[in-house]
Amino acid sequence: MADSGIAGSKLQILVVEDESALVEILRYNLEKEGFGVVVAADGEAALEAIADHKPDLVVLDWMLPHVSGLEICRRLRRRPETRDLPIIMLTARSEEADRVRGLEVGADDYIAKPFSPSELIARIRAVLRRAKPSTTGDLLTYAGVVMDLVSHRVLRDGRPVHLGPTEYRLLRFLMERPGRVYSREQLLDAVWGRDIYVEARTVDVHIRRLRKALNGPEDVDIIRTVRSAGYALDELSQ
Ligand code: CA
């Protein structure tokens, strides 16, 4: 049994899938691992279940009746109350282009069918870990980088890192959700704001400056470039 919630409270997983045989396999395996399971067979039911049960993570099938999982994911990301809800997409498509599309609409991870329940559970645990970044009061920490949100000081392995205001905001945004891939457009919205017109390429320029300031000669580059998708903070990226 793995109960990683607060004493007595199970983490709730919402499984959105219309294939009942697969749902039962997932329910059995997730419950065996100590998760609470809520099921929805289509997008409408999923949105209701999210409002009613406030799940900790959603396992979302791509192929659903009426509205696709991709569209559901896009809608969830647009709403402030579900913007940060961890989502793992399930799909029969294993092509790289589909993976990129799934990540672009904001899925945290993506798993191609067929998969083993233990593989899905490992991904669920990884996504849940990332969804709760280690914050201690006004400090953000990740892979040896410490950001003091009050003094605006940044340290990497104890060494001061000097950042311009844009690089600071960019790093802060990435450190709040490590591991998650953001497209250039999402970074523009989050860091520059929607009202300002900035070319997507500007993001690349600031990511380059951020890397230069952050990475000493001996350091691992913790910013991962995801080809044609965007950027993520990832200490295992190299
Ligand atoms: Ca399905």
Side-chain angles (χ1 to χ4, degrees):
M1 285 290 286
D3 187 357
S4 36
I6 312 155
S9 78
K10 287 179 179 177
L11 289 171
Q12 297 289 327
I13 310 290
L14 171 64
V15 175
V16 188
E17 167 63 277
D18 56 320
E19 267 170 74
S20 54
L22 179 56
V23 167
E24 287 321 307
I25 293 170
L26 294 181
R27 185 202 293 278
Y28 172 80
N29 284 280
L30 288 167
E31 286 179 349
K32 202 172 65 163
E33 291 294 317
F35 293 107
V37 178
V38 178
V39 173
D42 61 39
E44 285 291 296
L47 296 175
E48 275 173 36
I50 287 166
D52 292 348
H53 299 276
K54 310 249 180 308
D56 296 285
L57 180 144
V58 180
V59 174
L60 178 61
D61 189 36
W62 185 312
M63 302 299 283
L64 290 170
H66 317 304
V67 186
S68 77
L70 204 64
E71 180 54 30
I72 298 294
C73 185
R74 194 177 285 131
R75 287 186 198 174
L76 290 173
R77 285 299 175 244
R78 264 194 232 125
R79 300 178 175 191
E81 63 275 21
T82 52
R83 182 167 296 152
D84 294 328
L85 179 61
I87 299 173
I88 298 179
M89 298 266 319
L90 299 183
T91 182
R93 307 152 179 251
S94 58
E95 320 248 304
E96 180 68 17
D98 291 319
R99 184 184 159 84
V100 168
R101 273 178 78 204
L103 293 173
E104 260 176 351
V105 298
D108 294 273
D109 204 351
Y110 176 107
I111 189 164
K113 292 177 183 175
F115 56 86
S116 69
S118 59
E119 188 185 352
L120 177 65
I121 285 160
R123 301 282 191 102
I124 287 174
R125 292 203 192 287
V127 168
L128 286 172
R129 261 198 309 276
R130 301 199 308 235
K132 294 185 174 49
S134 40
T135 47
T136 323
D138 301 314
L139 291 183
L140 281 175
T141 61
Y142 182 77
V145 178
V146 179
M147 266 191 122
D148 184 327
L149 303 178
V150 176
S151 68
H152 282 217
R153 282 211 193 95
V154 179
L155 299 174
R156 178 159 190 186
D157 300 324
R159 168 181 66 84
V161 175
H162 302 287
L163 300 176
T166 304
E167 287 72 42
Y168 179 88
R169 288 202 304 275
L170 199 51
L171 180 63
R172 178 176 176 166
F173 182 76
L174 293 171
M175 288 205 37
E176 283 168 341
R177 293 302 305 277
R180 173 129 162 231
V181 180
Y182 289 97
S183 69
R184 290 173 180 79
E185 288 69 25
Q186 286 171 320
L187 292 172
L188 281 176
D189 278 356
V191 176
W192 280 263
R194 267 166 215 277
D195 306 331
I196 298 171
Y197 179 76
V198 187
E199 271 188 86
R201 240 173 303 158
T202 306
V203 175
D204 301 337
V205 173
H206 288 277
I207 287 278
R208 212 175 303 138
R209 284 186 197 159
L210 177 57
R211 277 192 171 126
K212 203 169 164 215
L214 204 55
N215 300 329
E218 308 294 308
D219 295 327
V220 168
D221 184 2
I222 56 168
I223 299 172
R224 176 160 62 109
T225 303
V226 182
R227 217 150 60 91
S228 74
Y231 296 101
L233 209 58
D234 188 348
E235 62 186 313
L236 306 173
S237 65
Q238 306 303 308

